[in-house]
Amino acid sequence: MNVYIDCHCHISSGEFDKDLEEVIESSKKAGLLAVLAVAEHFGEFEKIIDLSKRFQGFIFPCLGVHPVQEVSPEQQRSATPQDLDAALPIIEKYKDQLVGIGEVGLDFTPRFVSGDKDKENQRQVLIRQVEIAKQLELPVNVHSRSAGRPTIHLLKELGVQNALLHAFDGKTAVAMDGVRAGFYFSIPPSIIRSEQKQKLVKCLPLENICLETDSPALGPEKQVRNEPQNIRVSAEFVAKVKGVSVERVMEVTTENALRLFPKLRTKIRL
């Protein structure tokens, strides 16, 4: 299929509030078939659900608690079990509409983690959300910044079979451990300026690669708002690194996304 699926996008971001219709239209013109809208905290859950209804058949919701929670634009902290407690009733309310649980995971970036307690809180929040995903038979959409090895290790320990590692920033050897576990890795447009992600794509089998934008972050240019239409930037660079056609990348990554997120196949307008 010569279409794209954006497997990880923050389309509910306030940065899109003023021109969302235009952003969606331009992404469709670029060949985008579907956008998976991921959440970071329970405060945006309702907005994501509303967007999935407003753009039915194009925007699909994933709800979850991110390992880093924003206190203010200047201050972030590690997620706690209490953050998840507040989110659970909303996840339960909309469970039948979800295509995945996310964005969940671990983030051991020093400025967010002050000690072992923060790391353990993040682990407990992830463990509980994996349990929810298993109960609902949904894949997990996973964040693993500065925590690639412990994230993959924990997912394997928990017996996770359906996981997407988004914008993975770890070593290729660690990623290959994830490949052996059957995990997928989504590649953002920032690959064009990231030597680490270029090395990652070189090693990953195409059969384990999906595409994402992480809009409005991780765009082709620093400090410039990323948009879903830039999914083609990811595809073109993956094609270049792998030495295959863009059409081949589109076909395989779309099939990968439909395999990983099976509910999409029944809901999407193919």
Side-chain angles (χ1 to χ4, degrees), residues 148-213:
R149 189 183 300 276
T151 302
I152 287 177
H153 179 77
L154 182 55
L155 293 175
K156 289 172 60 180
E157 187 180 290
L158 296 172
V160 173
Q161 295 183 324
N162 300 309
L164 178 76
L165 279 297
H166 111 88
F168 189 77
D169 69 353
K171 294 180 179 179
T172 54
V174 177
M176 293 309 293
D177 195 25
V179 167
R180 287 187 286 273
F183 301 158
Y184 293 82
F185 294 77
S186 54
I187 309 302
S190 61
I191 184 177
I192 69 170
R193 52 185 175 86
S194 170
E195 187 177 335
Q196 176 268 334
K197 284 180 177 53
Q198 292 166 22
K199 288 181 179 177
L200 180 67
V201 165
K202 193 172 183 179
C203 291
L204 290 173
L206 190 55
E207 290 71 26
N208 292 82
I209 293 177
C210 290
L211 303 177
E212 67 159 291
T213 61

Short mmCIF file of all heavy atoms in Angstrom, two decimals, residues 148-213:
data_model
loop_
_atom_site.label_atom_id
_atom_site.label_comp_id
_atom_site.label_asym_id
_atom_site.label_seq_id
_atom_site.Cartn_x
_atom_site.Cartn_y
_atom_site.Cartn_z
N GLY A 148 16.84 2.87 27.16
CA GLY A 148 16.54 1.82 26.17
C GLY A 148 16.68 0.42 26.72
O GLY A 148 15.77 -0.40 26.60
N ARG A 149 17.82 0.15 27.34
CA ARG A 149 18.07 -1.21 27.84
C ARG A 149 17.09 -1.60 28.95
O ARG A 149 16.46 -2.67 28.88
CB ARG A 149 19.52 -1.34 28.32
CG ARG A 149 19.93 -2.77 28.66
CD ARG A 149 21.35 -2.82 29.20
NE ARG A 149 22.32 -2.31 28.24
CZ ARG A 149 22.86 -3.02 27.26
NH1 ARG A 149 22.51 -4.29 27.10
NH2 ARG A 149 23.74 -2.50 26.45
N PRO A 150 16.90 -0.76 30.00
CA PRO A 150 15.95 -1.16 31.06
C PRO A 150 14.51 -1.26 30.56
O PRO A 150 13.74 -2.09 31.06
CB PRO A 150 16.10 -0.08 32.13
CG PRO A 150 16.83 1.04 31.48
CD PRO A 150 17.65 0.46 30.38
N THR A 151 14.15 -0.45 29.57
CA THR A 151 12.78 -0.52 29.04
C THR A 151 12.55 -1.83 28.32
O THR A 151 11.56 -2.54 28.57
CB THR A 151 12.50 0.66 28.09
OG1 THR A 151 12.69 1.89 28.78
CG2 THR A 151 11.07 0.60 27.57
N ILE A 152 13.44 -2.18 27.41
CA ILE A 152 13.29 -3.43 26.67
C ILE A 152 13.38 -4.63 27.61
O ILE A 152 12.61 -5.59 27.48
CB ILE A 152 14.35 -3.52 25.54
CG1 ILE A 152 13.97 -2.53 24.42
CG2 ILE A 152 14.46 -4.94 24.99
CD1 ILE A 152 14.97 -2.46 23.28
N HIS A 153 14.28 -4.56 28.57
CA HIS A 153 14.40 -5.65 29.55
C HIS A 153 13.10 -5.84 30.32
O HIS A 153 12.63 -6.97 30.49
CB HIS A 153 15.55 -5.35 30.52
CG HIS A 153 15.73 -6.41 31.57
ND1 HIS A 153 16.34 -7.62 31.33
CD2 HIS A 153 15.34 -6.44 32.88
CE1 HIS A 153 16.33 -8.35 32.43
NE2 HIS A 153 15.74 -7.66 33.39
N LEU A 154 12.49 -4.72 30.76
CA LEU A 154 11.26 -4.82 31.53
C LEU A 154 10.11 -5.32 30.67
O LEU A 154 9.31 -6.16 31.12
CB LEU A 154 10.91 -3.46 32.15
CG LEU A 154 9.66 -3.41 33.04
CD1 LEU A 154 9.75 -4.43 34.17
CD2 LEU A 154 9.47 -2.00 33.61
N LEU A 155 10.01 -4.85 29.44
CA LEU A 155 8.94 -5.31 28.55
C LEU A 155 9.05 -6.82 28.31
O LEU A 155 8.04 -7.53 28.33
CB LEU A 155 9.00 -4.57 27.21
CG LEU A 155 8.68 -3.07 27.22
CD1 LEU A 155 8.91 -2.46 25.84
CD2 LEU A 155 7.26 -2.81 27.69
N LYS A 156 10.25 -7.30 28.12
CA LYS A 156 10.46 -8.74 27.94
C LYS A 156 10.12 -9.50 29.22
O LYS A 156 9.47 -10.55 29.17
CB LYS A 156 11.91 -9.00 27.54
CG LYS A 156 12.26 -8.56 26.13
CD LYS A 156 13.75 -8.67 25.85
CE LYS A 156 14.26 -10.07 26.00
NZ LYS A 156 15.72 -10.16 25.72
N GLU A 157 10.54 -8.95 30.35
CA GLU A 157 10.27 -9.59 31.65
C GLU A 157 8.77 -9.71 31.89
O GLU A 157 8.30 -10.70 32.48
CB GLU A 157 10.92 -8.74 32.74
CG GLU A 157 10.89 -9.32 34.13
CD GLU A 157 11.57 -8.40 35.13
OE1 GLU A 157 12.81 -8.25 35.08
OE2 GLU A 157 10.85 -7.79 35.96
N LEU A 158 8.01 -8.72 31.41
CA LEU A 158 6.56 -8.71 31.61
C LEU A 158 5.83 -9.53 30.54
O LEU A 158 4.60 -9.63 30.57
CB LEU A 158 6.05 -7.27 31.59
CG LEU A 158 6.54 -6.36 32.73
CD1 LEU A 158 6.13 -4.91 32.48
CD2 LEU A 158 6.01 -6.84 34.07
N GLY A 159 6.58 -10.08 29.60
CA GLY A 159 5.97 -10.91 28.57
C GLY A 159 5.22 -10.13 27.51
O GLY A 159 4.30 -10.66 26.87
N VAL A 160 5.62 -8.88 27.30
CA VAL A 160 4.96 -8.06 26.27
C VAL A 160 5.31 -8.61 24.89
O VAL A 160 6.48 -8.90 24.60
CB VAL A 160 5.41 -6.59 26.38
CG1 VAL A 160 4.88 -5.78 25.21
CG2 VAL A 160 4.93 -5.99 27.70
N GLN A 161 4.30 -8.73 24.06
CA GLN A 161 4.52 -9.24 22.70
C GLN A 161 4.29 -8.17 21.64
O GLN A 161 4.87 -8.25 20.56
CB GLN A 161 3.60 -10.44 22.43
CG GLN A 161 3.93 -11.64 23.32
CD GLN A 161 3.07 -12.84 22.99
OE1 GLN A 161 1.90 -12.69 22.66
NE2 GLN A 161 3.64 -14.03 23.09
N ASN A 162 3.47 -7.19 21.96
CA ASN A 162 3.14 -6.15 20.97
C ASN A 162 3.56 -4.79 21.49
O ASN A 162 2.84 -4.18 22.30
CB ASN A 162 1.64 -6.18 20.67
CG ASN A 162 1.20 -7.51 20.10
OD1 ASN A 162 1.79 -8.00 19.14
ND2 ASN A 162 0.19 -8.11 20.70
N ALA A 163 4.72 -4.33 21.03
CA ALA A 163 5.24 -3.04 21.50
C ALA A 163 5.86 -2.26 20.36
O ALA A 163 6.52 -2.83 19.48
CB ALA A 163 6.28 -3.26 22.60
N LEU A 164 5.66 -0.95 20.41
CA LEU A 164 6.30 -0.02 19.50
C LEU A 164 7.26 0.85 20.32
O LEU A 164 6.84 1.56 21.23
CB LEU A 164 5.27 0.88 18.81
CG LEU A 164 5.88 1.92 17.85
CD1 LEU A 164 6.31 1.26 16.55
CD2 LEU A 164 4.89 3.04 17.57
N LEU A 165 8.54 0.77 20.01
CA LEU A 165 9.53 1.63 20.66
C LEU A 165 9.67 2.88 19.79
O LEU A 165 10.21 2.83 18.69
CB LEU A 165 10.88 0.91 20.78
CG LEU A 165 11.10 -0.07 21.93
CD1 LEU A 165 11.03 0.62 23.28
CD2 LEU A 165 10.15 -1.24 21.87
N HIS A 166 9.15 4.00 20.29
CA HIS A 166 9.14 5.21 19.47
C HIS A 166 10.42 6.00 19.66
O HIS A 166 10.95 6.12 20.76
CB HIS A 166 7.89 6.05 19.80
CG HIS A 166 8.15 7.33 20.50
ND1 HIS A 166 8.42 8.51 19.84
CD2 HIS A 166 8.18 7.64 21.82
CE1 HIS A 166 8.59 9.48 20.72
NE2 HIS A 166 8.47 8.98 21.93
N ALA A 167 10.96 6.52 18.54
CA ALA A 167 12.15 7.39 18.56
C ALA A 167 13.24 6.83 19.47
O ALA A 167 13.82 7.57 20.27
CB ALA A 167 11.76 8.80 18.98
N PHE A 168 13.52 5.57 19.34
CA PHE A 168 14.48 4.89 20.21
C PHE A 168 15.85 5.56 20.12
O PHE A 168 16.38 5.77 19.02
CB PHE A 168 14.59 3.42 19.79
CG PHE A 168 15.37 2.56 20.73
CD1 PHE A 168 14.83 2.13 21.92
CD2 PHE A 168 16.67 2.17 20.41
CE1 PHE A 168 15.55 1.31 22.79
CE2 PHE A 168 17.40 1.36 21.27
CZ PHE A 168 16.84 0.93 22.46
N ASP A 169 16.44 5.89 21.29
CA ASP A 169 17.72 6.61 21.29
C ASP A 169 18.87 5.77 21.84
O ASP A 169 19.94 6.30 22.13
CB ASP A 169 17.61 7.94 22.06
CG ASP A 169 17.44 7.75 23.56
OD1 ASP A 169 17.26 6.59 24.03
OD2 ASP A 169 17.46 8.76 24.29
N GLY A 170 18.63 4.47 21.99
CA GLY A 170 19.66 3.59 22.55
C GLY A 170 20.60 3.04 21.49
O GLY A 170 20.54 3.39 20.31
N LYS A 171 21.46 2.13 21.92
CA LYS A 171 22.44 1.52 21.03
C LYS A 171 21.77 0.47 20.15
O LYS A 171 20.76 -0.13 20.50
CB LYS A 171 23.56 0.88 21.86
CG LYS A 171 24.39 1.89 22.62
CD LYS A 171 25.49 1.21 23.43
CE LYS A 171 26.34 2.24 24.18
NZ LYS A 171 27.40 1.61 25.00
N THR A 172 22.38 0.23 18.98
CA THR A 172 21.80 -0.73 18.04
C THR A 172 21.76 -2.14 18.64
O THR A 172 20.82 -2.89 18.39
CB THR A 172 22.60 -0.75 16.72
OG1 THR A 172 23.99 -0.98 17.01
CG2 THR A 172 22.45 0.59 16.00
N ALA A 173 22.77 -2.50 19.43
CA ALA A 173 22.80 -3.84 20.04
C ALA A 173 21.60 -4.04 20.96
O ALA A 173 21.02 -5.13 21.03
CB ALA A 173 24.10 -4.05 20.81
N VAL A 174 21.22 -2.98 21.67
CA VAL A 174 20.06 -3.04 22.56
C VAL A 174 18.78 -3.16 21.72
O VAL A 174 17.88 -3.94 22.04
CB VAL A 174 20.00 -1.80 23.47
CG1 VAL A 174 18.75 -1.84 24.35
CG2 VAL A 174 21.25 -1.72 24.34
N ALA A 175 18.72 -2.38 20.65
CA ALA A 175 17.55 -2.43 19.77
C ALA A 175 17.37 -3.82 19.18
O ALA A 175 16.23 -4.33 19.07
CB ALA A 175 17.69 -1.40 18.65
N MET A 176 18.46 -4.47 18.82
CA MET A 176 18.37 -5.80 18.24
C MET A 176 17.83 -6.81 19.24
O MET A 176 17.20 -7.80 18.86
CB MET A 176 19.73 -6.25 17.70
CG MET A 176 20.22 -5.43 16.51
SD MET A 176 18.98 -5.29 15.16
CE MET A 176 18.93 -6.99 14.62
N ASP A 177 18.06 -6.56 20.52
CA ASP A 177 17.44 -7.39 21.56
C ASP A 177 15.93 -7.24 21.48
O ASP A 177 15.18 -8.22 21.66
CB ASP A 177 17.96 -6.97 22.93
CG ASP A 177 17.67 -8.00 24.02
OD1 ASP A 177 17.51 -9.19 23.68
OD2 ASP A 177 17.59 -7.61 25.19
N GLY A 178 15.47 -6.02 21.21
CA GLY A 178 14.04 -5.77 21.04
C GLY A 178 13.50 -6.43 19.78
O GLY A 178 12.38 -6.97 19.78
N VAL A 179 14.28 -6.42 18.72
CA VAL A 179 13.88 -7.08 17.47
C VAL A 179 13.66 -8.58 17.73
O VAL A 179 12.67 -9.17 17.28
CB VAL A 179 14.93 -6.86 16.36
CG1 VAL A 179 14.68 -7.80 15.18
CG2 VAL A 179 14.92 -5.41 15.89
N ARG A 180 14.58 -9.17 18.45
CA ARG A 180 14.45 -10.61 18.76
C ARG A 180 13.21 -10.91 19.59
O ARG A 180 12.68 -12.03 19.55
CB ARG A 180 15.72 -11.12 19.46
CG ARG A 180 16.93 -11.23 18.53
CD ARG A 180 18.11 -11.89 19.22
NE ARG A 180 18.75 -11.00 20.19
CZ ARG A 180 19.71 -10.12 19.89
NH1 ARG A 180 20.13 -10.01 18.64
NH2 ARG A 180 20.23 -9.37 20.83
N ALA A 181 12.76 -9.91 20.34
CA ALA A 181 11.54 -10.07 21.14
C ALA A 181 10.28 -9.80 20.30
O ALA A 181 9.17 -9.94 20.80
CB ALA A 181 11.58 -9.13 22.34
N GLY A 182 10.48 -9.37 19.05
CA GLY A 182 9.35 -9.11 18.17
C GLY A 182 8.82 -7.69 18.23
O GLY A 182 7.73 -7.41 17.73
N PHE A 183 9.59 -6.78 18.83
CA PHE A 183 9.14 -5.39 18.96
C PHE A 183 9.38 -4.61 17.66
O PHE A 183 10.22 -4.97 16.85
CB PHE A 183 9.87 -4.69 20.11
CG PHE A 183 9.69 -5.33 21.46
CD1 PHE A 183 10.61 -5.12 22.48
CD2 PHE A 183 8.59 -6.15 21.72
CE1 PHE A 183 10.45 -5.72 23.73
CE2 PHE A 183 8.43 -6.75 22.96
CZ PHE A 183 9.36 -6.54 23.97
N TYR A 184 8.62 -3.53 17.51
CA TYR A 184 8.77 -2.64 16.37
C TYR A 184 9.39 -1.31 16.83
O TYR A 184 9.27 -0.93 18.00
CB TYR A 184 7.41 -2.36 15.72
CG TYR A 184 6.79 -3.57 15.05
CD1 TYR A 184 6.08 -4.52 15.79
CD2 TYR A 184 6.92 -3.77 13.69
CE1 TYR A 184 5.51 -5.63 15.20
CE2 TYR A 184 6.35 -4.88 13.07
CZ TYR A 184 5.65 -5.80 13.83
OH TYR A 184 5.09 -6.90 13.22
N PHE A 185 10.01 -0.61 15.89
CA PHE A 185 10.66 0.67 16.17
C PHE A 185 10.17 1.70 15.16
O PHE A 185 10.25 1.46 13.95
CB PHE A 185 12.18 0.53 16.09
CG PHE A 185 12.77 -0.36 17.15
CD1 PHE A 185 12.68 -1.74 17.05
CD2 PHE A 185 13.40 0.18 18.26
CE1 PHE A 185 13.20 -2.58 18.04
CE2 PHE A 185 13.93 -0.64 19.26
CZ PHE A 185 13.82 -2.02 19.14
N SER A 186 9.67 2.83 15.65
CA SER A 186 9.17 3.86 14.73
C SER A 186 10.19 4.98 14.58
O SER A 186 10.83 5.40 15.55
CB SER A 186 7.81 4.40 15.17
OG SER A 186 7.84 4.86 16.51
N ILE A 187 10.33 5.46 13.35
CA ILE A 187 11.39 6.39 12.98
C ILE A 187 10.80 7.77 12.66
O ILE A 187 9.97 7.89 11.76
CB ILE A 187 12.17 5.87 11.77
CG1 ILE A 187 12.63 4.42 12.00
CG2 ILE A 187 13.35 6.78 11.45
CD1 ILE A 187 13.52 4.21 13.21
N PRO A 188 11.24 8.81 13.37
CA PRO A 188 10.73 10.17 13.13
C PRO A 188 11.55 10.91 12.07
O PRO A 188 12.66 10.49 11.72
CB PRO A 188 10.91 10.83 14.50
CG PRO A 188 12.15 10.18 15.05
CD PRO A 188 12.14 8.76 14.54
N PRO A 189 11.03 12.04 11.57
CA PRO A 189 11.74 12.83 10.55
C PRO A 189 13.09 13.37 11.02
O PRO A 189 13.94 13.70 10.19
CB PRO A 189 10.77 13.98 10.25
CG PRO A 189 9.43 13.47 10.64
CD PRO A 189 9.67 12.58 11.82
N SER A 190 13.31 13.44 12.32
CA SER A 190 14.59 13.92 12.84
C SER A 190 15.74 12.99 12.48
O SER A 190 16.91 13.32 12.73
CB SER A 190 14.53 14.10 14.35
OG SER A 190 14.25 12.88 15.00
N ILE A 191 15.45 11.85 11.84
CA ILE A 191 16.50 10.94 11.40
C ILE A 191 17.48 11.65 10.47
O ILE A 191 18.67 11.33 10.45
CB ILE A 191 15.91 9.69 10.70
CG1 ILE A 191 17.04 8.71 10.35
CG2 ILE A 191 15.10 10.07 9.48
CD1 ILE A 191 16.57 7.40 9.72
N ILE A 192 17.01 12.66 9.74
CA ILE A 192 17.90 13.32 8.78
C ILE A 192 19.01 14.10 9.47
O ILE A 192 20.01 14.44 8.83
CB ILE A 192 17.12 14.24 7.81
CG1 ILE A 192 16.56 15.46 8.52
CG2 ILE A 192 16.00 13.49 7.12
CD1 ILE A 192 16.01 16.51 7.56
N ARG A 193 18.84 14.36 10.76
CA ARG A 193 19.88 15.08 11.51
C ARG A 193 20.38 14.28 12.72
O ARG A 193 21.00 14.85 13.61
CB ARG A 193 19.36 16.45 11.97
CG ARG A 193 18.03 16.43 12.71
CD ARG A 193 17.53 17.85 13.02
NE ARG A 193 16.21 17.85 13.62
CZ ARG A 193 15.98 17.72 14.92
NH1 ARG A 193 16.99 17.59 15.76
NH2 ARG A 193 14.73 17.75 15.38
N SER A 194 20.13 12.98 12.72
CA SER A 194 20.52 12.14 13.84
C SER A 194 21.36 10.95 13.37
O SER A 194 20.84 10.01 12.77
CB SER A 194 19.30 11.63 14.60
OG SER A 194 19.66 10.62 15.52
N GLU A 195 22.65 11.01 13.64
CA GLU A 195 23.53 9.90 13.26
C GLU A 195 23.13 8.62 13.99
O GLU A 195 23.20 7.52 13.42
CB GLU A 195 24.98 10.27 13.61
CG GLU A 195 26.00 9.27 13.11
CD GLU A 195 27.43 9.70 13.40
OE1 GLU A 195 27.68 10.91 13.53
OE2 GLU A 195 28.30 8.80 13.50
N GLN A 196 22.68 8.76 15.24
CA GLN A 196 22.26 7.59 16.02
C GLN A 196 21.10 6.87 15.35
O GLN A 196 21.08 5.64 15.22
CB GLN A 196 21.88 8.02 17.44
CG GLN A 196 21.35 6.90 18.33
CD GLN A 196 19.82 6.76 18.30
OE1 GLN A 196 19.11 7.73 18.03
NE2 GLN A 196 19.33 5.57 18.56
N LYS A 197 20.10 7.63 14.90
CA LYS A 197 18.93 7.00 14.27
C LYS A 197 19.27 6.44 12.89
O LYS A 197 18.68 5.44 12.45
CB LYS A 197 17.77 7.99 14.20
CG LYS A 197 17.11 8.16 15.58
CD LYS A 197 15.98 9.13 15.58
CE LYS A 197 15.33 9.16 16.97
NZ LYS A 197 16.30 9.42 18.06
N GLN A 198 20.21 7.05 12.20
CA GLN A 198 20.65 6.52 10.92
C GLN A 198 21.33 5.16 11.11
O GLN A 198 21.09 4.22 10.35
CB GLN A 198 21.58 7.52 10.23
CG GLN A 198 20.87 8.79 9.80
CD GLN A 198 21.82 9.92 9.43
OE1 GLN A 198 22.98 9.70 9.10
NE2 GLN A 198 21.33 11.15 9.48
N LYS A 199 22.16 5.05 12.14
CA LYS A 199 22.80 3.77 12.47
C LYS A 199 21.76 2.73 12.87
O LYS A 199 21.85 1.56 12.51
CB LYS A 199 23.80 3.96 13.60
CG LYS A 199 25.08 4.70 13.22
CD LYS A 199 26.01 4.82 14.41
CE LYS A 199 27.30 5.54 14.05
NZ LYS A 199 28.18 5.71 15.24
N LEU A 200 20.76 3.19 13.62
CA LEU A 200 19.69 2.30 14.07
C LEU A 200 18.95 1.69 12.88
O LEU A 200 18.76 0.48 12.81
CB LEU A 200 18.71 3.08 14.96
CG LEU A 200 17.52 2.31 15.53
CD1 LEU A 200 17.98 1.26 16.53
CD2 LEU A 200 16.53 3.27 16.19
N VAL A 201 18.56 2.54 11.94
CA VAL A 201 17.81 2.07 10.78
C VAL A 201 18.65 1.13 9.92
O VAL A 201 18.13 0.16 9.36
CB VAL A 201 17.30 3.28 9.95
CG1 VAL A 201 16.84 2.84 8.57
CG2 VAL A 201 16.16 3.97 10.67
N LYS A 202 19.93 1.40 9.85
CA LYS A 202 20.81 0.54 9.07
C LYS A 202 20.79 -0.89 9.60
O LYS A 202 20.86 -1.86 8.83
CB LYS A 202 22.24 1.10 9.10
CG LYS A 202 23.17 0.46 8.09
CD LYS A 202 24.50 1.20 8.04
CE LYS A 202 25.40 0.61 6.96
NZ LYS A 202 26.70 1.32 6.89
N CYS A 203 20.69 -1.04 10.92
CA CYS A 203 20.72 -2.36 11.55
C CYS A 203 19.35 -3.03 11.65
O CYS A 203 19.25 -4.25 11.59
CB CYS A 203 21.32 -2.25 12.95
SG CYS A 203 23.08 -1.86 12.96
N LEU A 204 18.30 -2.24 11.81
CA LEU A 204 16.97 -2.81 11.99
C LEU A 204 16.46 -3.46 10.71
O LEU A 204 16.57 -2.89 9.63
CB LEU A 204 15.97 -1.72 12.40
CG LEU A 204 16.09 -1.11 13.80
CD1 LEU A 204 15.12 0.06 13.92
CD2 LEU A 204 15.79 -2.15 14.87
N PRO A 205 15.85 -4.63 10.80
CA PRO A 205 15.17 -5.19 9.63
C PRO A 205 13.98 -4.29 9.26
O PRO A 205 13.31 -3.76 10.16
CB PRO A 205 14.67 -6.56 10.11
CG PRO A 205 15.46 -6.85 11.35
CD PRO A 205 15.78 -5.53 11.96
N LEU A 206 13.73 -4.13 7.98
CA LEU A 206 12.59 -3.30 7.55
C LEU A 206 11.29 -3.84 8.13
O LEU A 206 10.36 -3.07 8.40
CB LEU A 206 12.53 -3.26 6.02
CG LEU A 206 11.55 -2.26 5.38
CD1 LEU A 206 11.81 -0.84 5.86
CD2 LEU A 206 11.64 -2.33 3.86
N GLU A 207 11.25 -5.14 8.36
CA GLU A 207 10.05 -5.79 8.90
C GLU A 207 9.77 -5.40 10.36
O GLU A 207 8.72 -5.74 10.89
CB GLU A 207 10.18 -7.30 8.79
CG GLU A 207 10.11 -7.84 7.37
CD GLU A 207 11.35 -7.52 6.55
OE1 GLU A 207 12.43 -7.32 7.15
OE2 GLU A 207 11.22 -7.45 5.30
N ASN A 208 10.69 -4.70 10.98
CA ASN A 208 10.48 -4.23 12.36
C ASN A 208 10.42 -2.71 12.45
O ASN A 208 10.48 -2.15 13.54
CB ASN A 208 11.61 -4.74 13.26
CG ASN A 208 11.58 -6.23 13.47
OD1 ASN A 208 12.07 -6.98 12.63
ND2 ASN A 208 11.00 -6.68 14.58
N ILE A 209 10.29 -2.05 11.31
CA ILE A 209 10.27 -0.59 11.28
C ILE A 209 8.87 -0.05 10.98
O ILE A 209 8.19 -0.53 10.08
CB ILE A 209 11.27 -0.04 10.23
CG1 ILE A 209 12.71 -0.35 10.65
CG2 ILE A 209 11.10 1.46 10.03
CD1 ILE A 209 13.76 0.08 9.64
N CYS A 210 8.46 0.94 11.76
CA CYS A 210 7.27 1.72 11.48
C CYS A 210 7.70 3.18 11.33
O CYS A 210 8.86 3.53 11.57
CB CYS A 210 6.26 1.59 12.62
SG CYS A 210 5.49 -0.05 12.76
N LEU A 211 6.77 4.02 10.94
CA LEU A 211 7.05 5.44 10.77
C LEU A 211 6.26 6.26 11.78
O LEU A 211 5.16 5.87 12.18
CB LEU A 211 6.70 5.90 9.35
CG LEU A 211 7.40 5.16 8.21
CD1 LEU A 211 6.88 5.69 6.87
CD2 LEU A 211 8.92 5.31 8.29
N GLU A 212 6.83 7.37 12.19
CA GLU A 212 6.15 8.29 13.11
C GLU A 212 6.62 9.70 12.82
O GLU A 212 7.61 9.90 12.10
CB GLU A 212 6.49 7.94 14.56
CG GLU A 212 7.96 8.19 14.92
CD GLU A 212 8.22 8.34 16.41
OE1 GLU A 212 7.78 9.36 16.97
OE2 GLU A 212 8.87 7.43 16.99
N THR A 213 5.92 10.68 13.38
CA THR A 213 6.45 12.05 13.33
C THR A 213 6.74 12.59 14.73
O THR A 213 7.56 13.48 14.88
CB THR A 213 5.49 13.01 12.62
OG1 THR A 213 4.25 13.08 13.32
CG2 THR A 213 5.28 12.60 11.16
#
